[in-house]
Amino acid sequence: MSYRHVIDSHAWVFADLREVMARASPLRSGDLLAGVAASSAVERMAARMCLAEVPLQRFLDEALIPYEADEVTRLILDTHDKAAFAPIAHLTVGGFRDWLLSAQADEAALAGIRAGVTPEMAAAVSKLMRNQDLVLVARKCRVVTRFRNTVGLPGRLSVRLQPNHPTDDLRGIAASIVDGLLYGAGDAVIGVNPATDSIAGLTRLVHVLDEVIARLDIPTQSCVLTHVTNTVQMLEQGAPVDLVFQSVAGTQAANAAFGIDLAMLREARDAALSLKRGTVGDNVMYFETGQGSALSANAHHGVDQQTCEARAYAVARAFDPLLTNTVVGFIGPEYLYDGKQIIRAGLEDHFCGKLLGLPLGCDVCYTNHAEADQDDMDTLLTLLGVAGISFIMGVPGADDIMLNYQSTSFHDGLYLQAALGLRRAPEFEDWLRRMQIADDDGRIRPVTPQHPALGALRQLKLA
């Protein structure tokens, strides 16, 4: 069915709900590249006013990507919880925005409806929101997950320690791990993006990370961020895998471009669960997403990139992950052109993920050919901290020399924790105190050559 809105006697007509959603999106380069963006600010406002009047029920009746053609659509609709949807079923998209911003929508109420909210509903309401609205509602959403520690508790911020090296040199990786631990990073995960794709090389990295965690008795988890099929092979060979990683997208065709489908993810999760390596929980999956991935694979079906991103969260939440993060500016300026677009996208992603019940973090990042800089990242980092982000990245010097992009550093985690009074995962913070890396208030102690933690770290044989 078509949709229509009149502004100053001009009737704006949209062919279907997919077109209304695309035209209502804030301006971004990816939607311009795809040819789905509004032609003007006036058309964008007409689409938003039209979208505000759309009943939430319509998203269950009018699939943006046909049910029979896409397994992600089938996942979304087949797992939709009608009982959870009932409290908001009478609302329009505009009414849903008003309810989310009201005092009625507290933590318990938001947890109660999450299984009834589809990604398309979340994306739609985000298009009507200012940045401050996205911050306020996300802050009220609480998602807690566990493996060897607890991520997402109120007043807590975790950091992924990302010790990448362009040649997977173990000494270089070890140096970055030591650096990160001494800055109090690593409670989300110690996660390496490998340069190699060989099973032998990947398995060596898995064993190295496991040795670090076991020898130092760190209450955290490790992950080698390789393709899920490689991880399954390592699991079958008895490698000590903690978390299974995979990049996911919001359409079946985009996931096929990644070389995956839902059945493959299900198999990998079952294999990881069978190892029973978690000590305080069994959330064993780690997913990464990013606006533009479906478009870059020519697999977006005419759907705007932010809605495709929200659909990726339906894939992620189906597998109860420990961590999911949007790598917000990584794909490049073809999809998010400048700092303004990256900031908006990061806030949208965090809001949608948390509303849908995901433990969402963010790689606050940009590529060197984007019209963005570290000041933009400081702004997004701070806004996400206020919004209750679960975790961020910790990269030595904020410069990933393996993936060649700019992210956030160990210092950025310290900044956010100090500025907002945030603590680390409780189990990890206790370890930092025992190792005399942090004091009783969680503040990092100065490091000297005689620091007891350095003595323990020197015992590791990683050369």
Side-chain angles (χ1 to χ4, degrees):
M1 63 176 291
S2 63
Y3 296 79
R4 183 174 182 271
H5 192 84
V6 178
I7 295 180
D8 293 335
S9 75
H10 178 81
W12 294 92
V13 179
F14 307 99
D16 51 25
L17 187 53
R18 178 177 58 186
E19 187 169 285
V20 176
M21 292 277 280
R23 302 294 194 269
S25 289
L27 178 65
R28 61 206 56 198
S29 51
D31 289 339
L32 289 171
L33 182 64
V36 302
S39 60
S40 66
V42 177
E43 185 184 18
R44 185 173 297 110
M45 184 54 66
R48 287 177 179 171
M49 295 176 76
C50 187
L51 183 60
E53 297 171 357
V54 172
L56 292 180
Q57 177 65 38
R58 189 70 51 78
F59 292 96
L60 301 174
D61 301 333
E62 186 179 340
L64 303 189
I65 300 173
Y67 181 92
E68 61 277 5
D70 187 270
E71 70 171 354
V72 178
T73 298
R74 295 194 289 275
L75 172 71
I76 291 166
L77 295 178
D78 291 350
T79 60
H80 182 255
D81 188 326
K82 292 181 180 179
F85 180 58
I88 57 172
H90 64 289
L91 296 175
T92 62
V93 176
F96 188 34
R97 173 188 176 273
D98 293 342
W99 181 82
L100 288 170
L101 291 168
S102 73
Q104 288 179 281
D106 57 15
E107 182 181 327
L110 290 168
I113 66 162
R114 64 177 49 150
V117 178
T118 68
E120 290 85 354
M121 294 175 195
V125 74
S126 77
K127 298 177 193 299
L128 306 184
M129 290 179 147
R130 295 170 58 184
N131 286 0
Q132 66 176 236
D133 299 338
L134 299 172
V135 169
L136 180 61
V137 177
R139 185 175 178 83
K140 296 192 288 184
C141 298
R142 180 66 50 205
V143 184
V144 179
T145 54
R146 296 174 174 86
F147 189 76
R148 289 201 189 94
N149 61 31
T150 308
V151 177
L153 290 170
R156 305 276 175 170
L157 172 74
S158 295
V159 177
R160 170 189 162 188
L161 203 172
Q162 186 169 312
N164 296 346
H165 192 278
T167 64
D168 291 338
D169 180 80
L170 295 186
R171 290 170 297 178
I173 290 171
S176 293
I177 292 174
V178 171
D179 190 25
L181 291 173
L182 292 175
Y183 277 107
D187 51 343
V189 64
I190 301 176
V192 176
N193 296 90
T196 184
D197 204 33
S198 78
I199 297 300
L202 295 169
T203 302
R204 181 182 64 161
L205 289 173
V206 169
H207 279 284
V208 164
L209 297 182
D210 182 61
E211 180 190 356
V212 171
I213 290 172
R215 290 281 297 274
L216 299 179
D217 196 24
I218 311 172
T220 191
Q221 38 281 330
S222 69
C223 185
V224 174
L225 282 72
T226 186
H227 194 272
V228 64
T229 53
N230 291 334
T231 306
V232 169
Q233 275 191 260
M234 290 190 289
L235 283 164
E236 290 172 344
Q237 294 172 12
V241 172
D242 286 345
L243 303 185
V244 175
F245 168 80
Q246 182 56 47
S247 295
V248 295
T251 71
Q252 179 177 337
N255 283 325
F258 284 145
I260 63 166
D261 58 25
L262 300 181
M264 191 179 295
L265 296 178
R266 205 168 292 118
E267 176 192 355
R269 179 174 181 266
D270 289 344
L273 284 171
S274 70
L275 297 184
K276 301 185 186 311
R277 291 178 59 80
T279 55
V280 297
D282 61 359
N283 299 115
V284 296
M285 303 299 284
Y286 175 15
F287 295 114
E288 287 188 345
T289 66
Q291 288 195 27
S293 58
L295 174 58
S296 67
N298 194 27
H300 59 98
H301 299 273
V303 176
D304 67 273
Q305 69 180 39
Q306 188 250 332
T307 301
C308 283
E309 171 72 1
R311 285 169 55 93
Y313 302 155
V315 175
R317 76 173 174 179
F319 299 97
D320 298 319
L322 178 78
L323 308 167
T324 302
N325 69 274
T326 168
V327 193
V328 65
F330 182 73
I331 302 182
E334 300 84 0
Y335 305 94
L336 295 170
Y337 178 73
D338 57 14
K340 181 179 177 66
Q341 292 187 15
I342 292 171
I343 289 167
R344 174 70 190 190
L347 295 176
E348 289 170 346
D349 294 351
H350 181 246
F351 161 83
C352 289
K354 283 290 182 66
L355 186 63
L356 292 166
L358 271 186
L360 204 83
C362 183
D363 190 342
V364 179
C365 64
Y366 65 101
T367 57
N368 286 312
H369 61 306
E371 291 296 319
D373 59 27
Q374 211 65 39
D375 287 341
D376 295 315
M377 300 306 101
D378 285 352
T379 299
L380 178 54
L381 176 70
T382 305
L383 288 169
L384 288 171
V386 175
I389 192 84
S390 294
F391 69 101
I392 61 169
M393 304 300 116
V395 178
D399 184 3
D400 193 306
I401 59 173
M402 183 269 181
L403 294 174
N404 197 28
Y405 77 116
Q406 306 303 309
S407 185
T408 46
S409 71
F410 307 136
H411 302 79
D412 291 319
L414 293 181
Y415 150 69
L416 210 54
Q417 288 158 349
L420 300 178
L422 303 173
R423 307 291 288 260
R424 301 168 189 86
E427 301 90 345
F428 188 80
E429 194 165 79
D430 288 344
W431 178 82
L432 291 174
R433 281 195 291 267
R434 292 197 306 272
M435 295 293 288
Q436 299 182 39
I437 296 172
D439 64 20
D440 289 342
D441 295 319
R443 293 174 298 200
I444 297 301
R445 294 176 180 272
V447 177
T448 66
Q450 293 75 38
H451 196 290
L454 284 177
L457 292 165
R458 289 191 189 103
Q459 295 175 20
L460 296 172
K461 306 296 183 184
L462 301 179

